[in-house]
Amino acid sequence: MKAEFTSFFNNTHIQKKLNELERRAKATSLSARFAADKNRFDNFSIDLDGLLFDFSKNHIDADTLSTLIAGASDAGLTSLINDMFEGKKINNTEDRAVLHTALRSPPGDRPSHLSATIENAQQNMNTFSDSIRNKAWLGATGKPLTQIINIGIGGSDLGPAMAVDALSHYSDKDFEFHFVSNIDPTHIVEALAKCTPETTLLIVSSKSFSTLETLSNAKAAKNWLVSALGPDANIGKHFIGISSNIGAVTEFGIPETNILPMWDWVGGRYSLWSAIGLSLEIAIGKKGFSDFLRGGHCIDKHFRESPFENNIPVLMALISLWNSNYMDADSNAVVCYEQFLHRFVSYLQQMDMESNGKSVQRNGEPCLWKTAIPLWGGTGSDTQHSYHQLFHQGSRMVPLDFIVGANSLNPIGDQQAFLFANCLAQSKALMTGQDKNTIKQDLLNKGLSEEEAEQLSSHKEIPGNRPSNMIVYNKLTPFVLGQLVALYEHKVFVLSVLWNINAFDQWGVELGKELSGSIKSALLSNDTDLNTDASTLGLIARYKKQTS
Ligand code: F6P
């Protein structure tokens, strides 16, 4: 018999306790928590094979954690985790399983019905990437293809673009990579301008192969090839299609032999582990790509097997929930102190906000609680000189994840120590802040009048008491990148379970796609009869006036 669960926010016992704990937490400073517990760092950090998660600088104690964990257990988290890994159709609105984890499992650990499919796809992917890397794959005029353009958008772009940059230290430098996503023609035109038709490979990545942006850009690239190489050239040799819609790919003109598969059980934003990662595999080779998969699998094992109190993605999610639903945070930030990870946050934004930006429960009833909050961030130390001011003195509390490596892939003198110090200093400054009286005394000592010191110290005061997590790895490798991505994937999934929403559909993006079709027709026709609002009509008229 299936166990009955009480959803997290309907569990009155847990909610009552959390509301009490919230009152207590708001009356206790982070610094006081550290003063009261000498072992706080050890008690609230986890080391997983060299990857450290320090969550000690949060407004939590053992009681808060155990209550959150009890709520998660009562909400059936264990059972939903198992359902996901076992391939139950947890994407209920699309009647789909969610099995991107199977792509990174060792062969023996995969759901048996997918074993051959995955094996086959990975072998084909290896064959493709090997022959491009060893220059056996030749273009229409017999030249090797060394300029790779991935055309895709959303999950068919953000993952490979992020990972190719993140792991560029390990890339074969004979190859050049470009990522084109935007329907703004500038994106494809500028990328093509950097490439030579004879040596360019176009990877058209689209699970549905019906996405307007991708198809428009792919068509532009096809025209570019035809006009450069001539109508009789075998331009199929310059294309690889990655999709679950084989018919549409062949109709576009890509030969069936040049197609790699996608499946409905891999969501677009979770597809980097599939053939969508082909550009990454071309860049770092199949061994590098399999290390990336191993990193992801290491987190899957940890996630499935560790008790919640030692389970990093579960704790990341519980802390995030605590900060947003109880401690009044209204956005989250991630700052990566690693230049190679400069695209990591935009990748996370889709993973997080397209997954959990919902306000309806799995059964269709409205959520009576807040769900995902905006996620933003960037690359430290740049961000310190841009928007950290808001973190330190703004009127809104923004919990942060800092991600940093101990070692640089490009060490120079002690520059990495400075980088690491900057990262720690930010996290410490957020917690301790700077007290007004100390600042005032300092100003008085410097000779300012009482009135001047009083006024200036109000501006200089830093309230502190702002939470942050720290994720520390040794050195960025394919394995570590796989770990980081999988950590956030599971964090996002756990949050969806607690909010009782489906993290794997994205109905909200459909309406805009639909409306853009009729607006485009209105922009391009003389018909002014579009039955719509005055603002849209006015803007259509403005476009027509400025383009006539
Ligand atoms: O519009 C949203 C979306 O469906 C994303 O979920 C997806 O990653 C992206 O578009 C691209 O879709 P496709 O791979 O089918 O072109």
Side-chain angles (χ1 to χ4, degrees), residues 249-286:
V249 186
T250 48
E251 200 179 309
F252 174 82
I254 299 178
E256 210 163 334
T257 46
N258 291 11
I259 300 176
L260 290 171
M262 276 284 283
W263 310 274
D264 69 2
W265 41 270
V266 178
R269 52 194 173 273
Y270 301 92
S271 63
L272 174 57
W273 316 96
S274 73
I276 294 289
L278 179 68
S279 47
L280 176 64
E281 189 169 307
I282 296 172
I284 63 172
K286 62 183 181 220

mmCIF file of all heavy atoms in Angstrom, residues 249-286:
data_model
loop_
_atom_site.group_PDB
_atom_site.id
_atom_site.type_symbol
_atom_site.label_atom_id
_atom_site.label_comp_id
_atom_site.label_asym_id
_atom_site.label_seq_id
_atom_site.Cartn_x
_atom_site.Cartn_y
_atom_site.Cartn_z
ATOM 1 N N VAL A 249 14.109 16.825 -38.197
ATOM 2 C CA VAL A 249 15.540 17.059 -38.462
ATOM 3 C C VAL A 249 15.865 16.665 -39.908
ATOM 4 O O VAL A 249 16.549 17.402 -40.632
ATOM 5 C CB VAL A 249 16.445 16.253 -37.491
ATOM 6 C CG1 VAL A 249 17.903 16.634 -37.686
ATOM 7 C CG2 VAL A 249 16.045 16.481 -36.051
ATOM 8 N N THR A 250 15.345 15.514 -40.335
ATOM 9 C CA THR A 250 15.644 15.097 -41.709
ATOM 10 C C THR A 250 14.958 16.035 -42.701
ATOM 11 O O THR A 250 15.520 16.367 -43.729
ATOM 12 C CB THR A 250 15.240 13.629 -41.962
ATOM 13 O OG1 THR A 250 13.919 13.445 -41.480
ATOM 14 C CG2 THR A 250 16.161 12.660 -41.274
ATOM 15 N N GLU A 251 13.762 16.466 -42.352
ATOM 16 C CA GLU A 251 13.066 17.407 -43.238
ATOM 17 C C GLU A 251 13.873 18.698 -43.415
ATOM 18 O O GLU A 251 13.898 19.301 -44.478
ATOM 19 C CB GLU A 251 11.701 17.719 -42.635
ATOM 20 C CG GLU A 251 10.715 18.267 -43.653
ATOM 21 C CD GLU A 251 9.383 18.541 -42.987
ATOM 22 O OE1 GLU A 251 8.862 17.627 -42.302
ATOM 23 O OE2 GLU A 251 8.906 19.671 -43.109
ATOM 24 N N PHE A 252 14.545 19.095 -42.346
ATOM 25 C CA PHE A 252 15.394 20.299 -42.431
ATOM 26 C C PHE A 252 16.576 20.063 -43.380
ATOM 27 O O PHE A 252 17.139 21.002 -43.939
ATOM 28 C CB PHE A 252 15.897 20.658 -41.022
ATOM 29 C CG PHE A 252 16.884 21.777 -40.994
ATOM 30 C CD1 PHE A 252 16.455 23.097 -41.020
ATOM 31 C CD2 PHE A 252 18.256 21.528 -40.984
ATOM 32 C CE1 PHE A 252 17.381 24.146 -41.022
ATOM 33 C CE2 PHE A 252 19.181 22.563 -40.984
ATOM 34 C CZ PHE A 252 18.735 23.882 -40.997
ATOM 35 N N GLY A 253 16.944 18.798 -43.552
ATOM 36 C CA GLY A 253 18.037 18.495 -44.490
ATOM 37 C C GLY A 253 19.259 17.864 -43.840
ATOM 38 O O GLY A 253 20.305 17.723 -44.476
ATOM 39 N N ILE A 254 19.117 17.480 -42.567
ATOM 40 C CA ILE A 254 20.258 16.826 -41.918
ATOM 41 C C ILE A 254 20.096 15.311 -42.112
ATOM 42 O O ILE A 254 19.043 14.749 -41.793
ATOM 43 C CB ILE A 254 20.320 17.184 -40.412
ATOM 44 C CG1 ILE A 254 20.487 18.708 -40.263
ATOM 45 C CG2 ILE A 254 21.454 16.425 -39.708
ATOM 46 C CD1 ILE A 254 20.520 19.198 -38.825
ATOM 47 N N PRO A 255 21.126 14.650 -42.669
ATOM 48 C CA PRO A 255 20.986 13.206 -42.914
ATOM 49 C C PRO A 255 20.793 12.419 -41.620
ATOM 50 O O PRO A 255 21.340 12.791 -40.575
ATOM 51 C CB PRO A 255 22.305 12.813 -43.587
ATOM 52 C CG PRO A 255 23.196 14.003 -43.534
ATOM 53 C CD PRO A 255 22.411 15.193 -43.083
ATOM 54 N N GLU A 256 20.035 11.347 -41.705
ATOM 55 C CA GLU A 256 19.715 10.562 -40.513
ATOM 56 C C GLU A 256 20.974 10.046 -39.803
ATOM 57 O O GLU A 256 21.004 9.903 -38.582
ATOM 58 C CB GLU A 256 18.793 9.405 -40.900
ATOM 59 C CG GLU A 256 17.896 9.050 -39.750
ATOM 60 C CD GLU A 256 16.685 8.222 -40.139
ATOM 61 O OE1 GLU A 256 16.231 8.309 -41.301
ATOM 62 O OE2 GLU A 256 16.219 7.487 -39.254
ATOM 63 N N THR A 257 22.026 9.799 -40.610
ATOM 64 C CA THR A 257 23.279 9.311 -40.018
ATOM 65 C C THR A 257 23.947 10.374 -39.143
ATOM 66 O O THR A 257 24.860 10.074 -38.371
ATOM 67 C CB THR A 257 24.269 8.948 -41.139
ATOM 68 O OG1 THR A 257 24.255 10.016 -42.102
ATOM 69 C CG2 THR A 257 23.901 7.634 -41.801
ATOM 70 N N ASN A 258 23.526 11.623 -39.282
ATOM 71 C CA ASN A 258 24.154 12.701 -38.500
ATOM 72 C C ASN A 258 23.263 13.177 -37.349
ATOM 73 O O ASN A 258 23.361 14.331 -36.932
ATOM 74 C CB ASN A 258 24.467 13.902 -39.401
ATOM 75 C CG ASN A 258 25.581 13.603 -40.384
ATOM 76 O OD1 ASN A 258 25.964 12.447 -40.529
ATOM 77 N ND2 ASN A 258 26.091 14.615 -41.055
ATOM 78 N N ILE A 259 22.386 12.304 -36.898
ATOM 79 C CA ILE A 259 21.474 12.713 -35.819
ATOM 80 C C ILE A 259 21.801 11.945 -34.536
ATOM 81 O O ILE A 259 22.041 10.737 -34.567
ATOM 82 C CB ILE A 259 20.002 12.452 -36.219
ATOM 83 C CG1 ILE A 259 19.658 13.255 -37.488
ATOM 84 C CG2 ILE A 259 19.049 12.837 -35.089
ATOM 85 C CD1 ILE A 259 18.254 13.000 -38.028
ATOM 86 N N LEU A 260 21.813 12.675 -33.444
ATOM 87 C CA LEU A 260 21.939 12.029 -32.129
ATOM 88 C C LEU A 260 20.611 12.233 -31.386
ATOM 89 O O LEU A 260 19.965 13.272 -31.545
ATOM 90 C CB LEU A 260 23.097 12.634 -31.336
ATOM 91 C CG LEU A 260 24.497 12.309 -31.869
ATOM 92 C CD1 LEU A 260 25.561 13.131 -31.150
ATOM 93 C CD2 LEU A 260 24.811 10.812 -31.727
ATOM 94 N N PRO A 261 20.235 11.263 -30.549
ATOM 95 C CA PRO A 261 18.875 11.290 -29.996
ATOM 96 C C PRO A 261 18.708 12.097 -28.715
ATOM 97 O O PRO A 261 19.670 12.371 -27.987
ATOM 98 C CB PRO A 261 18.632 9.812 -29.679
ATOM 99 C CG PRO A 261 19.983 9.295 -29.326
ATOM 100 C CD PRO A 261 20.969 10.051 -30.164
ATOM 101 N N MET A 262 17.472 12.475 -28.482
ATOM 102 C CA MET A 262 16.994 13.026 -27.202
ATOM 103 C C MET A 262 15.736 12.235 -26.884
ATOM 104 O O MET A 262 15.162 11.621 -27.784
ATOM 105 C CB MET A 262 16.606 14.488 -27.388
ATOM 106 C CG MET A 262 17.723 15.472 -27.300
ATOM 107 S SD MET A 262 18.204 15.703 -25.609
ATOM 108 C CE MET A 262 16.912 16.768 -24.994
ATOM 109 N N TRP A 263 15.294 12.330 -25.651
ATOM 110 C CA TRP A 263 14.116 11.539 -25.274
ATOM 111 C C TRP A 263 13.208 12.368 -24.383
ATOM 112 O O TRP A 263 13.658 13.305 -23.719
ATOM 113 C CB TRP A 263 14.543 10.279 -24.506
ATOM 114 C CG TRP A 263 15.622 9.517 -25.187
ATOM 115 C CD1 TRP A 263 15.458 8.570 -26.158
ATOM 116 C CD2 TRP A 263 17.048 9.621 -24.948
ATOM 117 N NE1 TRP A 263 16.678 8.083 -26.548
ATOM 118 C CE2 TRP A 263 17.675 8.701 -25.824
ATOM 119 C CE3 TRP A 263 17.843 10.381 -24.116
ATOM 120 C CZ2 TRP A 263 19.057 8.532 -25.876
ATOM 121 C CZ3 TRP A 263 19.214 10.220 -24.161
ATOM 122 C CH2 TRP A 263 19.809 9.305 -25.029
ATOM 123 N N ASP A 264 11.937 11.959 -24.307
ATOM 124 C CA ASP A 264 11.016 12.761 -23.482
ATOM 125 C C ASP A 264 11.311 12.619 -21.991
ATOM 126 O O ASP A 264 10.834 13.412 -21.187
ATOM 127 C CB ASP A 264 9.539 12.453 -23.830
ATOM 128 C CG ASP A 264 9.117 11.068 -23.412
ATOM 129 O OD1 ASP A 264 9.940 10.337 -22.808
ATOM 130 O OD2 ASP A 264 7.958 10.694 -23.675
ATOM 131 N N TRP A 265 12.115 11.651 -21.598
ATOM 132 C CA TRP A 265 12.434 11.493 -20.170
ATOM 133 C C TRP A 265 13.663 12.325 -19.750
ATOM 134 O O TRP A 265 14.142 12.194 -18.618
ATOM 135 C CB TRP A 265 12.604 10.009 -19.787
ATOM 136 C CG TRP A 265 13.358 9.166 -20.794
ATOM 137 C CD1 TRP A 265 12.823 8.467 -21.837
ATOM 138 C CD2 TRP A 265 14.776 8.952 -20.858
ATOM 139 N NE1 TRP A 265 13.812 7.822 -22.544
ATOM 140 C CE2 TRP A 265 15.019 8.102 -21.961
ATOM 141 C CE3 TRP A 265 15.857 9.388 -20.096
ATOM 142 C CZ2 TRP A 265 16.302 7.680 -22.319
ATOM 143 C CZ3 TRP A 265 17.134 8.972 -20.443
ATOM 144 C CH2 TRP A 265 17.341 8.128 -21.548
ATOM 145 N N VAL A 266 14.154 13.166 -20.642
ATOM 146 C CA VAL A 266 15.219 14.120 -20.264
ATOM 147 C C VAL A 266 14.697 15.522 -20.555
ATOM 148 O O VAL A 266 14.451 15.876 -21.706
ATOM 149 C CB VAL A 266 16.519 13.876 -21.066
ATOM 150 C CG1 VAL A 266 17.582 14.899 -20.680
ATOM 151 C CG2 VAL A 266 17.043 12.474 -20.826
ATOM 152 N N GLY A 267 14.521 16.315 -19.505
ATOM 153 C CA GLY A 267 14.036 17.692 -19.690
ATOM 154 C C GLY A 267 15.124 18.549 -20.323
ATOM 155 O O GLY A 267 16.321 18.306 -20.110
ATOM 156 N N GLY A 268 14.718 19.565 -21.100
ATOM 157 C CA GLY A 268 15.697 20.428 -21.777
ATOM 158 C C GLY A 268 16.737 20.982 -20.821
ATOM 159 O O GLY A 268 17.939 20.953 -21.090
ATOM 160 N N ARG A 269 16.300 21.467 -19.653
ATOM 161 C CA ARG A 269 17.259 22.104 -18.736
ATOM 162 C C ARG A 269 18.099 21.087 -17.959
ATOM 163 O O ARG A 269 18.916 21.464 -17.120
ATOM 164 C CB ARG A 269 16.534 23.079 -17.802
ATOM 165 C CG ARG A 269 15.347 22.505 -17.068
ATOM 166 C CD ARG A 269 14.483 23.598 -16.442
ATOM 167 N NE ARG A 269 13.248 23.080 -15.878
ATOM 168 C CZ ARG A 269 12.122 22.898 -16.540
ATOM 169 N NH1 ARG A 269 12.077 23.181 -17.824
ATOM 170 N NH2 ARG A 269 11.055 22.446 -15.944
ATOM 171 N N TYR A 270 17.836 19.804 -18.194
ATOM 172 C CA TYR A 270 18.633 18.738 -17.550
ATOM 173 C C TYR A 270 19.379 17.932 -18.614
ATOM 174 O O TYR A 270 19.769 16.796 -18.373
ATOM 175 C CB TYR A 270 17.702 17.820 -16.739
ATOM 176 C CG TYR A 270 16.937 18.573 -15.674
ATOM 177 C CD1 TYR A 270 15.678 19.110 -15.921
ATOM 178 C CD2 TYR A 270 17.515 18.810 -14.418
ATOM 179 C CE1 TYR A 270 14.998 19.836 -14.960
ATOM 180 C CE2 TYR A 270 16.840 19.543 -13.449
ATOM 181 C CZ TYR A 270 15.587 20.053 -13.733
ATOM 182 O OH TYR A 270 14.929 20.786 -12.777
ATOM 183 N N SER A 271 19.547 18.529 -19.818
ATOM 184 C CA SER A 271 19.980 17.704 -20.948
ATOM 185 C C SER A 271 21.471 17.765 -21.255
ATOM 186 O O SER A 271 21.929 17.114 -22.184
ATOM 187 C CB SER A 271 19.194 18.104 -22.204
ATOM 188 O OG SER A 271 19.480 19.445 -22.544
ATOM 189 N N LEU A 272 22.218 18.523 -20.454
ATOM 190 C CA LEU A 272 23.650 18.627 -20.716
ATOM 191 C C LEU A 272 24.341 17.258 -20.680
ATOM 192 O O LEU A 272 25.363 17.036 -21.308
ATOM 193 C CB LEU A 272 24.268 19.583 -19.682
ATOM 194 C CG LEU A 272 25.770 19.765 -19.648
ATOM 195 C CD1 LEU A 272 26.326 20.226 -20.993
ATOM 196 C CD2 LEU A 272 26.153 20.778 -18.567
ATOM 197 N N TRP A 273 23.750 16.334 -19.922
ATOM 198 C CA TRP A 273 24.336 14.991 -19.767
ATOM 199 C C TRP A 273 24.111 14.120 -20.999
ATOM 200 O O TRP A 273 24.705 13.057 -21.130
ATOM 201 C CB TRP A 273 23.708 14.287 -18.548
ATOM 202 C CG TRP A 273 23.607 15.189 -17.360
ATOM 203 C CD1 TRP A 273 22.518 15.915 -16.979
ATOM 204 C CD2 TRP A 273 24.634 15.482 -16.404
ATOM 205 N NE1 TRP A 273 22.804 16.642 -15.845
ATOM 206 C CE2 TRP A 273 24.092 16.389 -15.469
ATOM 207 C CE3 TRP A 273 25.969 15.060 -16.248
ATOM 208 C CZ2 TRP A 273 24.830 16.889 -14.394
ATOM 209 C CZ3 TRP A 273 26.692 15.550 -15.180
ATOM 210 C CH2 TRP A 273 26.126 16.454 -14.271
ATOM 211 N N SER A 274 23.216 14.558 -21.882
ATOM 212 C CA SER A 274 22.860 13.768 -23.068
ATOM 213 C C SER A 274 23.708 14.240 -24.253
ATOM 214 O O SER A 274 24.697 14.956 -24.078
ATOM 215 C CB SER A 274 21.378 13.986 -23.389
ATOM 216 O OG SER A 274 21.191 15.294 -23.927
ATOM 217 N N ALA A 275 23.284 13.885 -25.458
ATOM 218 C CA ALA A 275 24.010 14.327 -26.659
ATOM 219 C C ALA A 275 24.033 15.846 -26.797
ATOM 220 O O ALA A 275 24.864 16.385 -27.525
ATOM 221 C CB ALA A 275 23.376 13.703 -27.894
ATOM 222 N N ILE A 276 23.147 16.533 -26.060
ATOM 223 C CA ILE A 276 23.198 18.005 -26.056
ATOM 224 C C ILE A 276 24.588 18.459 -25.582
ATOM 225 O O ILE A 276 25.046 19.549 -25.905
ATOM 226 C CB ILE A 276 22.061 18.591 -25.169
ATOM 227 C CG1 ILE A 276 20.686 18.291 -25.790
ATOM 228 C CG2 ILE A 276 22.229 20.087 -24.901
ATOM 229 C CD1 ILE A 276 20.335 19.055 -27.058
ATOM 230 N N GLY A 277 25.278 17.603 -24.841
ATOM 231 C CA GLY A 277 26.645 17.915 -24.395
ATOM 232 C C GLY A 277 27.701 17.614 -25.455
ATOM 233 O O GLY A 277 28.897 17.630 -25.157
ATOM 234 N N LEU A 278 27.282 17.360 -26.708
ATOM 235 C CA LEU A 278 28.273 16.972 -27.740
ATOM 236 C C LEU A 278 29.408 17.992 -27.888
ATOM 237 O O LEU A 278 30.576 17.604 -27.993
ATOM 238 C CB LEU A 278 27.571 16.758 -29.100
ATOM 239 C CG LEU A 278 28.523 16.374 -30.241
ATOM 240 C CD1 LEU A 278 29.115 14.979 -30.020
ATOM 241 C CD2 LEU A 278 27.810 16.423 -31.595
ATOM 242 N N SER A 279 29.061 19.281 -27.897
ATOM 243 C CA SER A 279 30.143 20.262 -28.084
ATOM 244 C C SER A 279 31.150 20.159 -26.931
ATOM 245 O O SER A 279 32.356 20.307 -27.135
ATOM 246 C CB SER A 279 29.591 21.683 -28.214
ATOM 247 O OG SER A 279 28.651 21.933 -27.214
ATOM 248 N N LEU A 280 30.648 19.879 -25.731
ATOM 249 C CA LEU A 280 31.572 19.695 -24.597
ATOM 250 C C LEU A 280 32.462 18.474 -24.842
ATOM 251 O O LEU A 280 33.675 18.527 -24.614
ATOM 252 C CB LEU A 280 30.779 19.529 -23.284
ATOM 253 C CG LEU A 280 31.645 19.240 -22.058
ATOM 254 C CD1 LEU A 280 32.583 20.417 -21.758
ATOM 255 C CD2 LEU A 280 30.796 18.940 -20.825
ATOM 256 N N GLU A 281 31.859 17.397 -25.334
ATOM 257 C CA GLU A 281 32.669 16.185 -25.564
ATOM 258 C C GLU A 281 33.693 16.426 -26.683
ATOM 259 O O GLU A 281 34.809 15.915 -26.620
ATOM 260 C CB GLU A 281 31.783 14.975 -25.873
ATOM 261 C CG GLU A 281 32.611 13.705 -25.896
ATOM 262 C CD GLU A 281 31.817 12.417 -25.939
ATOM 263 O OE1 GLU A 281 30.932 12.226 -25.084
ATOM 264 O OE2 GLU A 281 32.098 11.598 -26.827
ATOM 265 N N ILE A 282 33.307 17.214 -27.693
ATOM 266 C CA ILE A 282 34.295 17.530 -28.742
ATOM 267 C C ILE A 282 35.434 18.340 -28.113
ATOM 268 O O ILE A 282 36.608 18.122 -28.397
ATOM 269 C CB ILE A 282 33.641 18.315 -29.901
ATOM 270 C CG1 ILE A 282 32.584 17.446 -30.595
ATOM 271 C CG2 ILE A 282 34.697 18.780 -30.911
ATOM 272 C CD1 ILE A 282 31.732 18.187 -31.628
ATOM 273 N N ALA A 283 35.084 19.240 -27.210
ATOM 274 C CA ALA A 283 36.110 20.097 -26.604
ATOM 275 C C ALA A 283 37.065 19.312 -25.706
ATOM 276 O O ALA A 283 38.278 19.448 -25.817
ATOM 277 C CB ALA A 283 35.445 21.217 -25.808
ATOM 278 N N ILE A 284 36.511 18.476 -24.833
ATOM 279 C CA ILE A 284 37.384 17.868 -23.806
ATOM 280 C C ILE A 284 37.605 16.370 -24.033
ATOM 281 O O ILE A 284 38.320 15.733 -23.260
ATOM 282 C CB ILE A 284 36.853 18.126 -22.374
ATOM 283 C CG1 ILE A 284 35.479 17.468 -22.152
ATOM 284 C CG2 ILE A 284 36.796 19.622 -22.064
ATOM 285 C CD1 ILE A 284 34.981 17.526 -20.703
ATOM 286 N N GLY A 285 36.981 15.810 -25.047
ATOM 287 C CA GLY A 285 37.202 14.386 -25.340
ATOM 288 C C GLY A 285 36.284 13.492 -24.520
ATOM 289 O O GLY A 285 35.683 13.927 -23.532
ATOM 290 N N LYS A 286 36.197 12.219 -24.946
ATOM 291 C CA LYS A 286 35.223 11.339 -24.289
ATOM 292 C C LYS A 286 35.628 10.985 -22.863
ATOM 293 O O LYS A 286 34.785 10.763 -22.005
ATOM 294 C CB LYS A 286 34.933 10.099 -25.137
ATOM 295 C CG LYS A 286 36.099 9.210 -25.397
ATOM 296 C CD LYS A 286 35.697 8.056 -26.297
ATOM 297 C CE LYS A 286 36.907 7.180 -26.515
ATOM 298 N NZ LYS A 286 37.035 6.690 -27.869
#
